[in-house]
Amino acid sequence: MRLSVIGTGYVGLVAGACFSVMGNDVICVDVDKEKIEKLKKGEIPIYEPGLDKIVKESYERGNLHFTTDIKEALEKTNICFIAVGTPMGEDGSADLRYVLEVAKSIGKYMNKHMYVVDKSTVPVGTADKVRETIQKELDKRGVDLTFDVISNPEFLKEGAAVEDFMRPDRVVIGADNEKAIEVMKELYAPFTRSHERFIAMDIRSAEMTKYAANAMLATKISFMNDIANICERVGADVNKVRVGIGSDSRIGYSFIYPGCGYGGSCFPKDVQALIRTSKEYGYEPKVLEAVEEVNYAQKHVIPKKVVKRFGEDLTGRTFAIWGYAFKPETDDMREASSITIIKDLVERGAKIKAYDPKALDQAKNFYLKDVPNIEYVKRKYDALDDADAMILVTEWKEFRSPDFEEMKLRLKNPIIFDGRNQYNKEKLEKMGFEYYQIGVGA
């Protein structure tokens, strides 16, 4: 099948590359000329395991193409995926300007029946706006072309996006006619052969499914962090509580690990967008508002522990930060807890020595570029030299079993603040460490 993917960000590039692996002819379009040229050279703008390999192989094979010319792409394809960003607006709503700009271009340049697929995360009702925008442009041209607007939300996990796309838990399709559903079923057939994972529904339900899924997962995280904070105050151990409730098959173990808050491109933005949508329809989503409030507060829990141990004035203190990506196996720092933690400490006069396996450039050039008193190092143990304590923020695999004797030798004080509850408290205290984690009472 011949398809175009508009937008070569996280969603668009993964989708385009994976579709091409299955033999489809895919044209990826982006307005960023520099990015397109780099992609043609095999330079991937994001870190995602396995993505560089399949992009390079498909491009060299000739069925994955990159261009800035949307007109040419639309002329050569009859399925068009909209995969541009929907950043969060100041009021918490999803900003649809890029989606609607693409819809406008589709209306300007399409020359045959087109299946227009919303892959971007968009609020309920966006398909209607896309349809209206395309039709308006067709009316201006005075042409009688038909098209379908389809919702196909993505459910990829950063750090496992290629694997998730190739072996999806489910493929959700929202459409208003059987022909559109059949076309999408044919496109996704190579990915859904093992089990019946293709789920068709109406468009608005498909749009809502994406937000509901992310809101549910965010709710589990904030709920467990709430329980952790209660445990800390009543003298319980949240790590044991987690095992106790996770063994219940109705609950399970996924997304009930306590920590220093969730981040990334999806959960914060989607929860806020769903809150905004709810209020626009006259409903107060109290649970979702609580999820957001708990997560905001949770990002300040580690700095509060540091202040309790060292005092409000941290002038002259140095803290080693291990990990600043919002989660392992990605360089994404959007809404990362590390940003809040580092800023809280620096505002109190502290110096930071920071290490992350993949997110160094993102931190230095974007998310922390205006924050003073940060030294970036290229090895995790180098961050510990003369530091007053180590703070674990992101649970990368290389942090799971460190050399604790080496850590004691390098740290000024053998103190660890564990924002992801990765280590054994009893073991570390026997080794002479002061060990602070989340959700464990005295």
Side-chain angles (χ1 to χ4, degrees), residues 121-126 151 153 155 172 174 201-216 270 273-275 277-278 281 283 285 288:
T121 299
V122 294
V124 175
T126 299
S151 176
F155 300 99
V172 172
M201 59 184 70
D202 63 275
I203 294 172
R204 289 194 168 223
S205 295
E207 291 173 331
M208 186 65 181
T209 297
K210 169 65 174 180
Y211 279 103
N214 280 350
M216 182 70 242
D270 293 355
L274 189 51
I275 290 171
T277 297
S278 301
Y281 282 83
Y283 181 73
L288 295 181

Side-chain angles (χ1 to χ4, degrees), residues 18 178 379:
C18 290
E178 284 300 319
R379 296 179 180 84

Side-chain angles (χ1 to χ4, degrees), residues 329-383:
E329 300 301 328
T330 181
D331 61 352
D332 194 346
M333 284 187 63
R334 284 173 286 186
E335 304 289 335
S337 300
S338 62
I339 299 171
T340 299
I341 293 169
I342 289 171
K343 286 182 176 180
D344 277 4
L345 299 178
V346 169
E347 285 171 3
R348 291 175 169 86
K351 293 181 179 179
I352 302 296
K353 295 180 76 174
Y355 169 76
D356 188 282
K358 296 295 178 183
L360 174 61
D361 290 340
Q362 293 291 318
K364 286 180 68 174
N365 300 326
F366 298 102
Y367 296 98
L368 296 171
K369 68 176 182 179
D370 297 323
V371 180
N373 298 327
I374 303 177
E375 177 186 350
Y376 297 97
V377 300
K378 294 184 177 180
R379 296 179 180 84
K380 64 177 182 284
Y381 293 120
D382 291 348

Side-chain angles (χ1 to χ4, degrees), residues 10 17 22 71 118 139 184-185 245-246 294 299 307 353 433:
Y10 179 78
M22 295 302 183
K71 181 175 183 291
D118 282 333
D139 292 343
M184 297 305 292
K185 186 175 285 188
I245 68 172
V294 168
K299 293 181 179 182
V307 167
K353 295 180 76 174
F433 280 89

Side-chain angles (χ1 to χ4, degrees), residues 254-271:
S254 297
F255 290 86
I256 61 168
Y257 288 83
C260 48
Y262 61 75
S265 63
C266 295
F267 290 3
K269 177 173 68 73
D270 293 355
V271 170

Side-chain angles (χ1 to χ4, degrees), residues 268-335:
K269 177 173 68 73
D270 293 355
V271 170
Q272 291 185 40
L274 189 51
I275 290 171
R276 177 71 179 179
T277 297
S278 301
K279 291 181 175 180
E280 287 175 353
Y281 282 83
Y283 181 73
E284 194 76 21
K286 294 180 181 179
V287 171
L288 295 181
E289 289 178 330
V291 168
E292 180 70 12
E293 289 170 11
V294 168
N295 191 59
Y296 175 82
Q298 199 68 19
K299 293 181 179 182
H300 297 275
V301 166
I302 289 294
K304 286 180 179 178
K305 289 181 181 291
V306 173
V307 167
K308 185 177 180 180
R309 171 61 178 79
F310 290 99
E312 185 69 33
D313 184 3
L314 300 177
T315 304
R317 301 284 187 184
T318 299
F319 296 96
I321 299 289
W322 276 12
Y324 32 87
F326 90 92
K327 62 178 281 188
E329 300 301 328
T330 181
D331 61 352
D332 194 346
M333 284 187 63
R334 284 173 286 186
E335 304 289 335

Side-chain angles (χ1 to χ4, degrees), residues 35 37-45:
K35 181 192 284 189
E37 290 306 313
K38 286 183 177 180
L39 285 168
K40 289 178 179 178
K41 297 174 183 176
E43 298 176 23
I44 309 300

